Amino acid sequence: MKVFIIGAGPGDPELITVKGARLIAECPIVLYTGSLVPAEVLRGASKDARVLDSSGMTLDQIVEILTEARDKDLNVARVHTGDPSIFGSTAEQMRRMNALGIEYEIIPGVSSFSGAAAALGRELTLPELSQTIIITRMEGRTPMPEKEKLAELAKHQATLVLFLSITLVKQLCAELTPIYGADCPVAIVHKATMPDQQILMGTLADIEEKWKASSIRAQAIIIVGRVLTAEDFADSRLYAADFFHKFRKRPRVSEAENV
Ligand SMILES: C[S@@+](CC[C@H](N)C(=O)[O-])C[C@H]1O[C@@H](n2cnc3c(N)ncnc32)[C@H](O)[C@@H]1O
């Protein structure tokens, strides 16, 4: 018996991994986070499977289902949104499973921040502009560690990706403007990769107004950084004509002369 902790991807049902989809089809118990995992992702579950939504459950109730499955020797597909390693509340489940001797395996997924970058048609790391992505959130009911307060992280001026922060746009702009500058681009991507996806593009100066005028109040990724609009960034070294490596060897002199 095993619990498969599966990343369902950001929303588009075709963005789950082949392995994740196969395990959902094979497991007799499918326990999914109904608040975010779309129903289409679960369509592949067997007709005989017990398909349960964990969004109304407590951790104890989830663990009870996993323990029952262990006692009956039944595999479980534990389906989480995006990638289970990011704001997934999976660690606490794994800790309980470790204590109970329940075996588990993690099947990674496409995180919603990757889905958001794809929706924007942007790369989040650009040569000489930003080579770092900080994935974080604004402080909510979950307190932020002192060294990870937004103002501290902002000092790096890296590309910032914020989960779980869409109701705090005003505060976000106030904290970031002195560091990133009022003209720094900001994108809000709601329901990335889903049919009703919405994108708001703006700057730290005007994104709050645009957000207030929208109806987006949940399920959104905020991305801050100059990578969102930059066009004058340097080319990478990877494809530079004068850069050679294992897969593109320096031409021999005789070949070079013929070019
Ligand atoms: C509990 S976290 C789960 C994140 C997930 N593990 C991941 O890797 O995307 C939920 C937050 O993820 C973000 N999110 C999840 N799905 C999204 C989507 N399709 N579009 C935009 N944001 C999404 C939102 O910030 C939401 O509040």
Side-chain angles (χ1 to χ4, degrees):
M1 178 272 169
K2 212 175 193 183
V3 174
F4 296 97
I5 301 172
I6 299 168
D12 178 344
E14 293 190 333
L15 287 177
I16 190 169
T17 62
V18 174
K19 190 168 186 174
R22 174 178 62 78
L23 288 164
I24 289 176
E26 288 175 2
C27 285
I29 300 175
V30 178
L31 183 59
Y32 69 101
T33 53
S35 50
L36 286 163
V37 173
E40 300 90 90
V41 170
L42 308 160
R43 292 245 160 87
S46 153
K47 279 197 298 297
D48 306 323
R50 221 175 131 204
V51 180
L52 303 165
D53 178 358
S54 65
S55 57
M57 297 180 190
T58 62
L59 179 59
D60 283 342
Q61 288 168 330
I62 291 168
V63 173
E64 209 178 297
I65 290 166
L66 302 181
T67 310
E68 207 182 294
R70 181 203 55 191
D71 295 346
K72 292 182 178 163
D73 198 22
L74 297 174
N75 285 346
V76 179
R78 175 71 182 110
V79 188
H80 281 267
T81 183
D83 181 78
S85 72
I86 301 176
F87 297 119
S89 304
T90 47
E92 64 207 40
Q93 296 172 59
M94 292 188 281
R95 183 165 58 192
R96 296 285 196 103
M97 287 192 269
N98 286 335
L100 291 162
I102 298 175
E103 206 186 326
Y104 55 82
E105 180 181 336
I106 301 173
I107 317 299
V110 176
S111 178
S112 55
F113 89 87
S114 305
L120 293 166
R122 300 300 302 191
E123 182 174 349
L124 300 183
T125 52
L126 292 179
E128 297 171 36
L129 191 59
S130 176
Q131 292 287 284
T132 304
I133 302 168
I134 295 179
I135 295 172
T136 186
R137 61 173 296 172
M138 298 285 289
E139 190 161 58
R141 269 172 300 179
T142 307
M144 291 298 284
E146 198 51 41
K147 290 181 183 161
E148 293 182 18
K149 301 274 185 202
L150 192 61
E152 280 302 308
L153 299 178
K155 285 178 187 165
H156 297 281
Q157 295 197 37
T159 305
L160 264 185
V161 172
L162 292 118
F163 282 73
L164 299 157
S165 303
I166 193 61
T167 56
L168 300 166
V169 176
K170 183 186 170 94
Q171 191 184 329
L172 175 123
C173 293
E175 289 190 40
L176 294 183
T177 300
I179 304 162
Y180 280 75
D183 64 337
C184 183
V186 182
I188 292 177
V189 184
H190 173 58
K191 293 196 169 185
T193 79
M194 296 185 187
D196 48 350
Q197 164 185 291
Q198 280 182 64
I199 294 176
L200 301 180
M201 273 305 298
T203 62
L204 283 172
D206 64 14
I207 197 73
E208 190 198 342
E209 284 312 308
K210 291 183 179 180
W211 167 70
K212 272 196 206 153
S214 79
S215 57
I216 303 171
R217 297 296 179 266
Q219 226 175 327
I221 290 286
I222 307 173
I223 303 179
V224 182
R226 301 208 176 257
V227 293
L228 290 173
T229 54
E231 291 302 335
D232 60 349
F233 52 88
D235 285 342
S236 74
R237 291 301 294 147
L238 184 62
Y239 297 117
D242 61 346
F243 182 65
F244 303 103
H245 48 76
K246 192 173 150 197
F247 299 101
R248 199 176 62 243
K249 306 244 186 279
R250 184 184 297 277
R252 281 175 297 182
V253 177
S254 56
E255 286 173 16
E257 278 168 358
N258 293 333
V259 173

